[in-house]
Amino acid sequence: MIVHYRIVTGVSRGIGAALAERLLGPDRLVIGIARNDNEAVRATAEAKGCGYRFVPFDLADTTGIDGLMDELFRSIDRGRARSVALVNNAASLSPLRPIHACTDREIAGHYAVNLLAPVLLTKHFVGRTAGWNAVKSVVNVSSGSAEWPMAGMAPYCSSKAGLNAFTQCVALEQQDVDNSRTRIRRLPGHGRDRHAAAGPDEPKRRAAGGGTVSRSVRGGAADDPGTGGGTDRSAAGVEGGSSGLDQKAGRCGGGRIRMRSGPIQSLVLGIPVAKSDYDRAIDWYVGALGFELVWKKGVAQLRMPNGQKLLVFDPDDDPDSIWYAGDYEAHPHYSVQLVVGDLEKLTERLTGSGARLGPILRGGGGGRDMRIDDPFGNRWWAIEDPKPNAAAPSPLDEFSRKSSFGRSGAATDRIRLRPTGAGDLDFVVDAETAEGSRPYVGQWTRERHAEAIDDPDAMHAVIVRLGDGQRIGYVIAQGLREGRSIELKRLVVTEPGNGYGRETVRLVKRLAFAEWRARRLWLDVRAGNTRAERLYRSEGFQIEGVLRDADYADGRYVSLAVLSMLADEYVPEPAAGPAT
């Protein structure tokens, strides 16, 4: 029988996903909130026979939170509930720039997710559970950044400081409520060693910090019927909870120096990996990057042919290590560099391995480099030695633009883009001429599509669903050769209404601005295609104007609405970022 209820925001990854898994139990219902579900959490719940429900919601849409709470509380049986808890974990780090370089939209979206959403969720939770007999708890996951301001992090530091003050105020309010069984608290986190060099005593403080998020919900408000109002600082050992840096989640990287008498003899790089990924990560580093497994005794040592050593360890098994997270947004200074002889060969080796590969760029010394995100949350840079007579650094060329989308980096949790091949042409033509598509998109011949596949100025990609490998649409972008203004020429999805079109638009935006470094991304929409126009406008595109009777389709002239987005209007999606 379900008697304990746990509402957790930001369950799609990081600490939210780890927390949701830990809170699963035979007498509990865990309700997860995020834009995208975490299949691993769902699989764990099904394997254990535990209650888990996912409610998709974008916390940036604060106008919908009242309706969201209506939906959540329909899953809670007030008469049987012994405890109910809300964990406001979801947060965003972006934008990480000086305030004058942030757009108004970025700032408003940041405060909506980090501050306004938890405030409204707490307000509705406290109001709806007033008078309940159950033990009630609100945990607002904060960060040490609330107390250690840093340049370039004004929105994040101030939003967390505001969340702390809000939590303390509501806790005082609950103390003044007679017979209140609502416990309001925050988990501070240690932001200091997340964004700056840790002091010599910091690892000991982390190891001795006390509780975890799951303990504060599971063992405090959840299972202690005698708890009352007030803040609780007993769980101060959690690392950077708001950004998903939980030691159990293990998405991090770091270094350790082995010292002998005299000067340093060697450098050993340490890569923490979550226990659930541990053996798979070792196999991946050996198979994909060419390391040799030297030994594995809890901690594993790997070695490159040149003798460079790599330690792979679970941070829970090595709690005293000084480590930095491999999340680029949280730690933009962090990188691991690999020196390689041929980036194309490395690309061939890693394509399909599960790594996300960035485009090949020209480096400042005339050589080339490429970013690699391995499947375990760590970031690498592959640096190719400059060749004799190497060309001077130059902008990204059209060949790099065309090739970068086809790697595994052009993907979300549900779909990926791959280059369209000759074997896909029948599918493309059928999708384009289908009854639901024909009135809204241009009609090309099979030969015209084949030309676009080979055209260095165009990206022609099939949309593939990751769950079953099925093709569910295609997308074409043009203007890669010049690269300053990219046109989203065509987007066709064969299974509308499932969010695949929106995810594809976000992938194209990421490619255009984050990888191809375009100044402008534009498209046109036929008059009457209101569904597509609403999608593009909701994704930040602005209408530039209407081209009257500019197209001719099915025996009639149709007007085209032209929409565009500029680089400084682009807001990266947490598809490459935090869960919300």
Side-chain angles (χ1 to χ4, degrees):
M1 180 190 305
I2 301 297
V3 295
H4 299 296
Y5 296 87
R6 304 291 175 264
I7 302 169
V8 184
T9 66
V11 298
S12 64
R13 53 178 254 173
I15 194 175
L19 175 59
E21 283 198 38
R22 292 188 187 187
L23 291 177
L24 294 171
D27 58 351
R28 303 168 187 272
L29 174 64
V30 175
I31 306 173
I33 304 171
R35 282 190 297 268
N36 300 302
D37 198 2
N38 186 297
E39 293 301 325
V41 176
R42 182 174 296 279
T44 301
E46 292 176 355
K48 293 182 176 181
C50 299
Y52 175 70
R53 183 188 174 199
F54 173 70
V55 179
F57 189 80
D58 185 350
L59 290 174
D61 179 19
T62 54
T63 60
I65 284 181
D66 190 11
L68 170 66
M69 295 300 281
D70 284 339
E71 175 72 15
L72 298 180
F73 273 76
R74 278 195 285 269
S75 299
I76 300 176
D77 186 339
R78 172 179 178 176
R80 293 181 175 177
R82 290 172 51 194
S83 68
V84 187
L86 167 67
V87 183
N88 285 312
N89 160 74
S92 172
L93 278 166
S94 300
L96 294 175
R97 295 191 297 275
I99 194 64
H100 68 272
C102 303
T103 68
D104 292 355
R105 184 181 177 190
E106 287 177 321
I107 295 171
H110 179 97
Y111 284 105
V113 173
N114 284 28
L115 184 55
L116 186 54
V119 165
L120 292 176
L121 288 168
T122 302
K123 173 244 184 185
H124 285 286
F125 181 91
V126 171
R128 290 165 193 257
T129 60
W132 285 30
N133 231 3
V135 176
K136 298 156 288 182
S137 177
V138 177
V139 178
N140 291 328
V141 181
S142 184
S143 168
S145 296
E147 301 174 9
W148 285 294
M150 292 195 67
M153 294 183 64
Y156 185 73
C157 294
S158 59
S159 65
K160 288 304 178 183
L163 184 61
N164 287 357
F166 168 78
T167 304
Q168 293 165 350
C169 291
V170 178
L172 291 173
E173 293 173 359
Q174 289 302 307
Q175 288 179 347
D176 293 335
V177 176
D178 290 339
N179 300 318
S180 173
R181 304 190 74 194
T182 303
R183 190 177 190 182
I184 311 292
R185 56 177 160 181
R186 69 183 179 96
L187 293 185
H190 286 305
R192 182 177 179 181
D193 60 332
R194 294 176 52 247
H195 302 295
D201 296 328
E202 197 65 26
K204 296 178 182 178
R205 283 198 293 270
R206 285 206 302 268
T212 63
V213 181
S214 58
R215 186 181 308 157
S216 72
V217 180
R218 182 188 289 272
D223 302 325
D224 181 2
T227 53
T231 58
D232 181 2
R233 299 169 183 261
S234 65
V238 175
E239 283 288 331
S242 60
S243 61
L245 305 181
D246 179 78
Q247 292 199 17
K248 189 70 175 179
R251 300 177 62 83
C252 46
R256 173 186 300 167
I257 297 176
R258 288 185 173 178
M259 303 294 291
R260 300 177 184 171
S261 58
I264 294 173
Q265 298 296 312
S266 65
L267 176 70
V268 179
L269 177 70
I271 301 289
V273 174
K275 189 182 296 293
S276 58
D277 289 329
Y278 189 69
D279 291 328
R280 188 166 65 94
I282 293 172
D283 292 341
W284 192 89
Y285 292 130
V286 170
L289 295 182
F291 282 90
E292 172 195 2
L293 176 60
V294 180
W295 46 261
K296 183 170 69 170
K297 299 176 182 178
V299 175
Q301 185 183 95
L302 309 180
R303 182 171 57 204
M304 292 292 288
N306 68 350
Q308 172 67 52
K309 298 173 184 176
L310 175 73
L311 292 181
V312 180
F313 59 93
D314 174 9
D316 280 352
D317 291 336
D318 197 359
D320 290 335
S321 294
I322 299 176
W323 50 274
Y324 291 108
D327 184 309
Y328 178 72
E329 288 191 335
H331 302 274
H333 61 277
Y334 174 81
S335 68
V336 180
Q337 296 185 359
L338 297 171
V339 179
V340 301
D342 191 323
L343 278 177
E344 276 74 19
K345 288 185 178 179
L346 179 63
T347 298
E348 293 176 5
R349 180 169 185 158
L350 293 181
T351 298
S353 70
R356 293 176 55 183
L357 309 180
I360 297 176
L361 305 173
R362 290 285 182 185
R368 303 184 300 165
D369 57 57
M370 178 178 70
R371 169 183 151 185
I372 304 167
D373 291 288
D374 72 28
F376 315 104
N378 296 304
R379 173 159 301 179
W380 308 71
W381 285 94
I383 312 295
E384 185 181 69
D385 279 336
K387 302 294 188 293
N389 303 317
S394 61
L396 185 66
D397 58 57
E398 69 270 18
F399 299 103
S400 294
R401 293 190 186 97
K402 187 175 178 68
S403 64
S404 65
F405 82 91
R407 302 171 184 172
S408 57
T412 69
D413 293 337
R414 299 198 302 163
I415 64 171
R416 73 179 178 94
L417 306 184
R418 67 162 173 80
T420 305
D424 299 310
L425 287 174
D426 288 341
F427 166 80
V428 169
V429 173
D430 289 345
E432 187 170 272
T433 57
E435 182 179 350
S437 304
R438 184 179 181 86
Y440 305 115
V441 299
Q443 302 294 299
W444 282 3
T445 64
R446 180 188 177 95
E447 290 71 27
R448 178 69 186 88
H449 280 288
E451 291 174 2
I453 291 173
D454 296 329
D455 185 356
D457 193 51
M459 175 195 82
H460 200 304
V462 170
I463 308 167
V464 178
R465 184 166 52 210
L466 294 179
D468 55 13
Q470 293 296 310
R471 298 170 297 188
I472 56 171
Y474 73 92
V475 60
I476 304 172
Q478 294 182 333
L480 274 62
R481 178 177 286 110
E482 185 270 338
R484 293 186 178 87
S485 182
I486 303 291
E487 178 189 5
L488 176 50
K489 180 67 176 177
R490 191 161 304 165
L491 170 58
V492 175
V493 175
T494 59
E495 298 181 13
N498 294 300
Y500 298 129
R502 183 178 298 277
E503 291 188 36
T504 303
V505 171
R506 291 178 176 179
L507 283 177
V508 173
K509 290 195 299 183
R510 184 202 305 170
L511 287 167
F513 296 118
E515 297 198 18
W516 298 342
R517 292 175 285 176
R519 172 59 183 165
R520 177 174 179 264
L521 176 64
W522 70 280
L523 55 94
D524 57 55
V525 179
R526 285 183 178 178
N529 194 358
T530 55
R531 183 172 184 170
E533 185 174 326
R534 282 199 305 268
L535 166 63
Y536 294 125
R537 295 187 69 176
S538 70
E539 285 297 312
F541 287 85
Q542 299 184 27
I543 294 182
E544 293 185 345
V546 176
L547 303 177
R548 297 185 299 167
D549 289 354
D551 201 1
Y552 189 80
D554 293 334
R556 64 185 182 90
Y557 287 99
V558 293
S559 298
L560 300 174
V562 179
L563 298 91
S564 70
M565 174 182 290
L566 301 181
D568 53 10
E569 298 168 341
Y570 168 62
V571 179
E573 292 299 327
T580 58

